[in-house]
């Protein structure tokens, strides 16, 4: 399961599963098990902004930290995503 970082951001791993690659780029955030169950899900736009479609167990304060991290690092994160998926950012027609 690919992680976007080897470390936790605001106490959460940021990752995606191979099943995720059929959708546009998004990030799951989980503090324990790296599964979709209970995780937050954020779709990433071409400018690095995010749309939270599932909050999971992530507090609002931690979600803001995660969103800021993604905004600052979305290009590098997209490079990893692109190794596994032909789909682009949220809202792009590909």
């Amino acid at each position: 399961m690919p992680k976007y970082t080897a470390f936790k951001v605001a106490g959460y791993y940021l990752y995606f599963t191979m099943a995720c690659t059929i959708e546009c780029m998004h990030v799951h955030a989980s503090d324990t098990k790296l599964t979709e169950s209970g995780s937050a899900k954020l779709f990433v736009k071409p400018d690095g902004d995010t749309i939270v479609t599932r909050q999971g167990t992530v507090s609002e304060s931690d979600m803001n930290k995660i969103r800021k991290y993604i905004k600052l690092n979305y290009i590098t994160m997209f490079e990893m995503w692109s190794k596994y998926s032909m789909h682009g950012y949220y809202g792009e027609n590909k």
Side-chain angles (χ1 to χ4, degrees), residues 29-71:
S30 178
D31 61 352
T32 55
K33 296 178 184 172
L34 302 182
T35 64
E36 289 191 49
S37 176
S39 71
K41 185 175 182 179
L42 303 89
F43 282 95
V44 183
K45 294 181 177 184
D47 63 359
D49 286 343
T50 54
I51 296 180
V52 179
T53 59
R54 186 173 59 234
Q55 185 84 20
T57 60
V58 180
S59 71
E60 197 63 37
S61 173
D62 287 343
M63 183 61 75
N64 288 334
K65 293 173 188 172
I66 291 167
R67 293 178 87 176
K68 286 177 186 174
Y69 179 87
I70 293 170
K71 179 74 172 180

Side-chain angles (χ1 to χ4, degrees), residues 17-26 81 84-87:
T17 68
M18 295 316 293
C20 292
T21 59
I22 62 169
E23 296 181 299
C24 59
M25 187 198 175
H26 62 277
W81 172 265
Y84 302 95
S85 178
M86 297 181 343
H87 299 280

Side-chain angles (χ1 to χ4, degrees), residues 4-24:
Y4 289 109
T5 65
F7 53 89
K8 289 184 176 184
V9 175
Y12 296 86
Y13 289 111
L14 305 182
Y15 66 95
F16 60 93
T17 68
M18 295 316 293
C20 292
T21 59
I22 62 169
E23 296 181 299
C24 59

